[in-house]
Amino acid sequence: MISDVVTKGVQQAPHRSLFNAAGFTAEELSRPLIGIVSSFNEIIPGHINLDKITEAVKLGVAEAGGTPVVVPAIAVCDGIAMGHTGMKYSLVTRDLIADSTECLAKAHAFDGLVMIPNCDKNVPGLLMAAARVNVPTVFVSGGPMLAGHVGGRKRSLSSIFEAVGSVAAGTMTMEELADYEENVCPTCGSCSGMYTANSMNCLTEAIGMGLKGNGTIPAVYSARIRLAKHAGMRVMDLIRNNIRPRDILTKEAFINALTVDMALGCSTNTMLHLPAIAHEAGIEINMEIANEISARTPNLCHLAPAGPTYMEDLNEAGGVYAVMNELSKKNLLNLDLITVTGKTVGENIANCINRDPEVIRPIDNPYLANGGIAVLKGNLAPDTGIVKRSAVVPEMMVHEGPARVFDCEEDAIAAIKGGKIVAGDVVVIRYEGPKGGPGMREMLNPTSAIAGMGLGSTVALITDGRFSGASRGASIGHVSPEAAVGGPIALVKEGDLIRIDIPSNSLELLVSDEELAERRAAWTPREPKITDGYLKRYSAMVTSGNRGAILEIPGAKEN
């Protein structure tokens, strides 16, 4: 066992003395040491139940003959961090989580790991760590929140962000807003729509690193505790069979995950996280492949914010495996890949029926013929721009309008709420990319303000930042190259016409090449917004959004 280097032999007597000091018995040290990486904290609703999940995992590990050892992982609540400097510290935690978990696992010679994430960046961060450390690993999330109820209708976090915009527009009272505030988030768990946390927890299941139900069993259900116990037991089987993350995280598995992503209509943030996880597994994914997968993959689910259904509904309809079973009917998945269950994808999803054809559309009756996410390219986005196609209203699939240009999120929000944005406009928010932000802030506040002001079907938003999974509408993010490195988005001027053609995967600035060349020659880099601390180092090392915002040593040759 890996842990022999800290538990066996004469030279390890000092190590054992320290284990003794921590209360470990000789019997415990004779068994495999399993790191239980718990993201529990008391500020994130999706994490306040992780102490219960952790205890259940520990029981499962111990029952199956291992010694559980709990270690921590940090997390940030994107909702609480939204709309202020705190959002600069969200995406960047993905790499801190991966780094610190690698350090804990390697330094203490764990034989296996059970990862317990739940919210936006610690799911991909722990997947990145799993690929790096490459010891037998199982994931079990804390589960989604139940939907709230306002006015007799199911609601979620995106509803209240949009309600704030409605108050600004004068179409909602403060009393009505208070009703939303009290009722949209009724339980612990990751927010109840197909936002980033739930997207990544579902894709963890689809890629083969989580057990059935990992992405969909609600946080408050007892089935979540049983799942956690089984995850603890399962890691011991993986050790016995020597099945490791890199055996599961193959290129074919990432293709499967992208296919399920398109069918579910996941958050655009998956287009950042999947390439970053693949990179850690030694696999390079060009995001242009997303359009190839989208072209052959129908969109089967319209969960909030794209539609009126929620994670609890997806769970009742059969969950991720039922979606995968629908996809398998058109041979859209590789069914021969090994997973943490010890079985293949095909064996996992066999007989997982679709119990609700409105929540999970049958493969022959999809919501959209193409997948939920599209990658746009053009002279405004030479590398990529990402849009959640499944959350765009039909009348905005093709749009042309004048640019309204802002160099930060706050200025854009002030203009939207001040009534300065009108139907037909294309709001451009730049210098919010990985380097320029730094940290690539989510733009849920401006997209929600646009929706709340009644402009969701007439106004587009383009940014080198990114969007919350709770955003909807013609919201195009991850525009690369970003403004901070001189990408074309830095050259847009107020009033320039921009043409968006989502069916054609096109994003064009309607300015001549000669004019753009003159603007480029006159452009000068901006002074960094943050000049100290972790964000200064992050800004120096981070790559562009189209590469997953992975970190590289400055000057190193790109892969």
Side-chain angles (χ1 to χ4, degrees):
M1 293 188 295
I2 296 170
S3 60
D4 287 354
V5 299
V6 295
T7 60
K8 303 291 193 304
V10 175
Q11 291 296 323
Q12 281 65 45
H15 304 71
R16 290 192 296 274
S17 71
L18 293 168
F19 278 109
N20 291 341
F24 286 89
T25 65
E27 291 83 0
E28 287 175 306
L29 297 183
S30 69
R31 304 168 188 150
L33 294 183
I34 309 301
I36 313 298
V37 185
S38 173
S39 302
F40 168 77
N41 62 54
E42 293 184 340
I43 195 165
I44 306 178
H47 291 232
I48 60 172
N49 67 321
L50 296 191
D51 55 342
K52 309 292 190 302
I53 302 296
T54 300
E55 288 303 311
V57 170
K58 287 173 64 178
L59 282 171
V61 168
E63 285 179 17
T67 297
V69 184
V70 177
V71 294
I74 66 165
V76 162
C77 178
D78 278 23
I80 295 173
M82 194 71 66
H84 59 94
T85 299
M87 181 47 69
K88 295 179 185 291
Y89 289 88
S90 171
L91 178 60
V92 305
T93 63
R94 185 186 71 181
D95 297 275
L96 285 173
I97 292 160
D99 292 347
S100 59
T101 303
E102 174 193 358
C103 292
L104 284 167
K106 293 284 191 180
H108 301 108
F110 291 139
D111 297 297
L113 296 167
V114 180
M115 305 293 200
I116 309 177
N118 211 31
C119 288
D120 291 23
K121 307 309 171 299
N122 73 322
V123 184
L126 291 177
L127 282 164
M128 290 164 67
R132 283 189 204 171
V133 178
N134 201 35
V135 297
T137 302
V138 178
F139 276 68
V140 56
S141 75
M145 182 184 293
L146 293 178
H149 291 81
V150 180
R153 295 178 60 190
K154 286 185 177 181
R155 299 290 188 180
S156 63
L157 183 68
S158 57
S159 305
I160 190 167
F161 272 93
E162 293 181 10
V164 171
S166 297
V167 170
T171 59
M172 181 179 287
T173 67
M174 290 298 295
E175 290 75 17
E176 290 171 321
L177 179 65
D179 193 15
Y180 276 78
E181 183 177 333
E182 289 294 324
N183 293 299
V184 295
C185 295
T187 72
C188 64
S190 48
C191 297
S192 56
M194 187 53 81
Y195 309 147
T196 304
N198 292 326
S199 295
M200 290 306 305
N201 282 327
C202 286
L203 295 188
T204 298
E205 197 174 330
I207 210 168
M209 291 296 293
L211 302 178
K212 180 184 178 183
N214 177 69
T216 60
I217 297 172
V220 295
Y221 283 13
S222 298
R224 175 64 55 179
I225 299 298
R226 297 198 299 271
L227 181 73
K229 290 177 181 177
H230 284 131
M233 297 174 193
R234 188 65 223 156
V235 74
M236 300 307 298
D237 290 330
L238 293 177
I239 289 172
R240 283 186 279 271
N241 295 310
N242 195 29
I243 299 175
R244 299 172 181 246
R246 290 198 180 196
D247 299 323
I248 297 168
L249 296 173
T250 62
K251 185 168 186 178
E252 293 77 14
F254 282 98
I255 300 299
N256 274 1
L258 281 165
T259 302
V260 176
D261 190 338
M262 296 299 172
L264 285 172
C266 290
S267 164
T268 53
N269 281 311
T270 62
M271 297 293 106
L272 279 176
H273 300 322
L274 288 175
I277 298 161
H279 179 76
E280 298 294 348
I283 298 163
E284 298 303 319
I285 295 179
N286 185 331
M287 275 297 95
E288 290 180 42
I289 197 173
N291 283 341
E292 298 174 24
I293 296 170
S294 179
R296 62 178 182 257
T297 307
N299 175 229
L300 304 181
C301 300
H302 263 192
L303 285 88
T309 53
Y310 295 81
M311 295 305 297
E312 64 206 66
D313 302 312
L314 179 59
N315 187 63
E316 293 301 319
V320 175
Y321 278 13
V323 174
M324 295 174 74
N325 197 18
E326 288 291 342
L327 293 171
S328 72
K329 294 174 183 178
K330 290 289 181 72
N331 298 315
L332 294 173
L333 296 174
N334 187 322
L335 302 181
D336 297 326
L337 307 179
I338 194 66
T339 70
V340 291
T341 66
K343 300 177 181 178
T344 65
V345 171
E347 290 171 323
N348 287 342
I349 68 174
N351 304 315
C352 291
I353 63 171
N354 179 359
R355 301 191 190 99
D356 190 333
E358 281 306 307
V359 176
I360 304 171
R361 286 285 185 89
I363 194 76
D364 292 321
N365 182 35
Y367 282 103
L368 297 169
N370 295 330
I373 293 176
V375 178
L376 311 185
K377 295 189 74 170
N379 69 345
L380 186 52
D383 293 335
T384 54
I386 306 292
V387 63
K388 186 171 182 175
R389 172 169 36 203
S390 60
V392 179
V393 294
E395 54 266 39
M396 289 299 289
M397 286 290 186
V398 177
H399 178 76
E400 183 176 311
R404 305 299 308 280
V405 183
F406 304 93
D407 287 349
C408 68
E409 177 189 3
E410 288 82 357
D411 290 349
I413 293 170
I416 296 165
K417 291 185 176 179
K420 296 179 181 179
I421 302 302
V422 299
D425 284 348
V426 178
V427 176
V428 176
I429 305 177
R430 62 192 181 189
Y431 295 100
E432 291 285 9
K435 284 185 178 293
M440 204 177 185
R441 287 196 286 182
E442 288 184 343
M443 301 292 159
L444 179 56
N445 271 346
T447 58
S448 298
I450 287 169
M453 296 287 285
L455 298 170
S457 61
T458 58
V459 169
L461 194 156
I462 297 171
T463 181
D464 54 6
R466 59 195 178 89
F467 294 109
S468 165
S471 292
R472 62 188 176 101
S475 304
I476 301 164
H478 307 201
V479 170
S480 303
E482 63 175 290
V485 299
I489 193 171
L491 310 179
V492 181
K493 290 186 177 181
E494 185 81 7
D496 285 347
L497 288 178
I498 293 175
R499 181 171 175 79
I500 301 163
D501 189 337
I502 295 172
S504 298
N505 302 318
S506 174
L507 181 61
E508 295 287 339
L509 176 62
L510 302 184
V511 172
S512 70
D513 292 344
E514 292 78 14
E515 172 66 17
L516 283 178
E518 289 180 13
R519 294 183 189 181
R520 186 170 288 107
W523 179 82
T524 55
R526 300 292 180 90
E527 288 295 318
K529 293 179 182 177
I530 304 290
T531 58
D532 59 6
Y534 176 59
L535 288 181
K536 178 181 179 181
R537 283 184 283 133
Y538 181 87
S539 180
M541 296 177 69
V542 71
T543 60
S544 84
N546 73 302
R547 297 186 60 215
I550 62 172
L551 301 186
E552 288 184 336
I553 298 171
K557 183 179 178 181
E558 291 191 359
N559 292 329

